[in-house]
Amino acid sequence: MTSVLSTAPPTPMPATGTPARPDRPRWQRPAVAVLLAGTAVLYLWNLTASGYGNSFYAAAVQAGSQSWKAWLFGSLDAGNVLTVDKPPAALWVAGLFARIFGFSSWTVLAPQALMGVASVGLLYATVRRSSGPVPGLLAGAALALTPVAALMFRFNNPDALLVLLLVAAAYFVVRALEKASPRWLALAGVAIGLGFLTKMMQAFLVLPAFALVYLVAAPTGLGKRVLHLLGAGLAVVVSAGWYIALVELWPAADRPYIGGSTDNSLLELALGYNGLGRIFGRGEGGPGGGGPGGDGGGAGNVAFGGETGIGRLFGASMGIEISWLLPAALLGLVAGLWFTRRAPRTDRTRAALLLWGGWLLVTGLVFSFMGGITHPYYAVALAPAIAALIGIAGRELWQGRHNRLARAALAAMVAATAVWGFILLDRTPDWLPALRWALVALGLVVATALAVGLPSFRKLTAVLAAAAVLTAGVATAAYTVDTASRTHRGSIPISGPGDSAMGGGMGMERDQADPELAALLARTSGTWAAATTGAQSAASLALASGKAVIGIGGWSGGDPAPTLEQFQRYVADGQVRYFVTGGQGGPGGREGTGTTITEWVAANFTATTVGEQTVYDLSS
């Protein structure tokens, strides 16, 4: 873009495609240190105030700290009845933390916060390689100060590891583009494969952008570009497929049931419930379905993404999470691609725009129109792409501000950010009401100054640049700090002021077990202290007692594990001591094995009351 917008002679790409590397300015390393330190404070400060966050995943970490088999498979309980409804890569990290430092709220949540710091640092490094340190710092800061990023990097859902792996894959692609390196491209494939083992097919949404940018911009012949991409595809298959093969080849009778699947198959889980079911809403993942993906009452339910369509990312569900800088990022992408339309094939700036713009467009469109399970916090997968586009396009347009069209594009980015920030802030009118007015006033002044053009006085230029950055960051930063200051629990956390979680009965687990019941379970020995219907209720009991608890039916209550025959055998062998009534599944949990087991227990054992719950002693 520089060659189009600058009067200075362009710096050509070397024949090898290696970017020019000017001497690093003295301020670069201190600035990066401040960025990472500030991010660490934001994400780690008072982290354990949220307790165990999502107790469903926290219980699986606890199980993994007690049993290596539970760690390997991502089991909900140390006795390995069934797994969570996701692959276990994120649980592997937290489980190792718990093994090393002891199981606690900190070892459950700290890995995610550290992944957030690493994501910010790696995004900086990625953008710096293609565009320089200033865009890198802007991109890193924009990611750190995205509300949904602060939410998920302080929470124990799998999304934190997914974002880190996808940013790592982007870094490897950028390195591969420098010298058409198949090794770096294969590493990108490995990172995406590990992303699959974190959140399955969502990791594949960046593949079209990564393949396109390498096919277009790698400095080698077309045949080699295609071969390199095929090799990277093989790396994806191997790095994701080894675990699927392990699970499929392991005797089913000797491993836990794969939660969320219909036939005890991890591959079916990937293609069905966590794959096509998420996109098309088939089976229990579709609107109105009985599983965790049912829309819980219609498309207007913000806990499940709201109404599908092109405006979903700006709507009541995802708007406050991710869209603060989205209009500016889209404008910057369009402007950048226009100004680089005549650049050489291997142009670094255009390649970066294709990489991050493709990531944003493909993932954003899928999130906008997917008809299955969609939660607001999914939008964190868009945050690195938006942040990178802001840094790259913003800096390039600023460098070319002598050009009238570039100036107008930059002014439009600033104005759009200010106006849209005003609209988002107006959705919570009682929270810092003066902020939105100050934002829109400052933004419109800066946009006007950019559009008109000011004399090139150094001090005045620096003030204008600082005002533009302030306009871009003040609203999202305020919302992010507010998000980080609040506790978040449940299965559908949200950003900003107001309630810390959505959904009510749609996925909100019981975080607090009855203290008297927890004390009773803590005194037991054997494989399982108790069993109850639904993984959420079982998770609360397990966390409170420190003992393994069977969550009959898994998340939704509909998984066929354990069967009545299996449960009867557990009881006959003295492996499970108590049965606790009143458990619950996920959203709209279906009748299934839990109902059958509950009826058998009630017909054969005597009920007692412990605290406020009905309990059956299965040893009598």
Side-chain angles (χ1 to χ4, degrees), residues 246-527:
L246 174 71
V247 174
E248 298 300 319
L249 294 174
W250 199 293
D254 191 40
R255 63 162 171 78
Y257 183 90
I258 304 302
S261 69
T262 59
D263 61 359
N264 199 13
S265 166
L266 186 63
L267 183 60
E268 188 279 329
L269 179 67
L271 298 177
Y273 166 62
N274 278 329
L276 297 178
R278 300 265 174 173
I279 297 175
F280 300 110
R282 299 197 300 189
E284 63 182 55
D295 77 347
N301 191 325
V302 294
F304 287 87
E307 187 174 358
T308 59
I310 198 67
R312 176 183 263 186
L313 298 180
F314 301 92
S317 177
M318 293 186 172
I320 62 169
E321 306 287 350
I322 195 61
S323 71
W324 300 87
L325 299 176
L326 180 54
L330 292 173
L331 287 170
L333 174 62
V334 172
L337 292 177
W338 169 259
F339 285 118
T340 59
R341 68 193 185 279
R342 295 191 180 94
R345 179 179 64 81
T346 57
D347 181 74
R348 294 195 312 276
T349 300
R350 184 173 58 195
L353 292 169
L354 288 175
L355 187 151
W356 300 109
W359 174 335
L360 174 61
L361 293 177
V362 173
T363 305
L365 288 173
V366 170
F367 285 174
S368 296
F369 292 96
M370 61 191 291
I373 306 170
T374 311
H375 295 312
Y377 62 81
Y378 287 9
V380 70
L382 299 169
I386 293 173
L389 288 171
I390 290 294
I392 295 168
R395 191 261 189 180
E396 293 291 342
L397 291 171
W398 175 262
Q399 289 289 93
R401 62 189 180 276
H402 65 279
N403 181 293
R404 179 173 54 85
L405 292 179
R407 219 168 42 238
L410 187 59
M413 290 176 64
V414 172
T417 300
V419 172
W420 183 243
F422 178 91
I423 295 171
L424 290 176
L425 290 171
D426 197 49
R427 294 179 181 177
T428 52
D430 296 329
W431 182 76
L432 299 181
L435 179 62
R436 63 183 183 272
W437 293 105
L439 170 66
V440 75
L442 176 64
L444 293 179
V445 169
V446 172
T448 301
L450 287 170
V452 172
L454 295 175
S456 298
F457 298 119
R458 178 172 297 181
K459 291 184 178 180
L460 186 60
T461 301
V463 169
L464 185 60
V469 172
L470 182 64
T471 301
V474 63
T476 183
Y479 234 77
T480 298
V481 171
D482 184 273
T483 298
S485 70
R486 297 177 183 268
T487 61
H488 296 92
R489 291 176 178 159
S491 57
I492 312 177
I494 62 171
S495 302
D499 296 333
S500 64
M502 297 179 177
M506 299 168 297
M508 288 295 296
E509 64 259 38
R510 299 177 180 181
D511 283 320
Q512 302 298 324
D514 184 278
E516 187 177 346
L517 177 58
L520 176 68
L521 300 186
R523 294 193 294 268
T524 63
S525 59
T527 306

Side-chain angles (χ1 to χ4, degrees), residues 135-183:
L137 289 167
L138 290 175
L143 174 59
L145 296 176
T146 300
V148 72
L151 176 70
M152 298 316 295
F153 289 134
R154 293 175 57 90
F155 204 68
N156 59 316
N157 279 18
D159 301 74
L161 180 58
L162 176 67
V163 169
L164 175 59
L165 289 169
L166 295 184
V167 174
Y171 175 82
F172 295 142
V173 170
V174 169
R175 292 297 301 266
L177 286 170
E178 293 174 3
K179 295 183 179 180
S181 168
R183 179 172 62 90

Side-chain angles (χ1 to χ4, degrees), residues 229-259:
L229 287 172
L230 291 175
L234 180 61
V236 173
V237 172
V238 172
S239 59
W242 72 268
Y243 185 74
I244 294 178
L246 174 71
V247 174
E248 298 300 319
L249 294 174
W250 199 293
D254 191 40
R255 63 162 171 78
Y257 183 90
I258 304 302

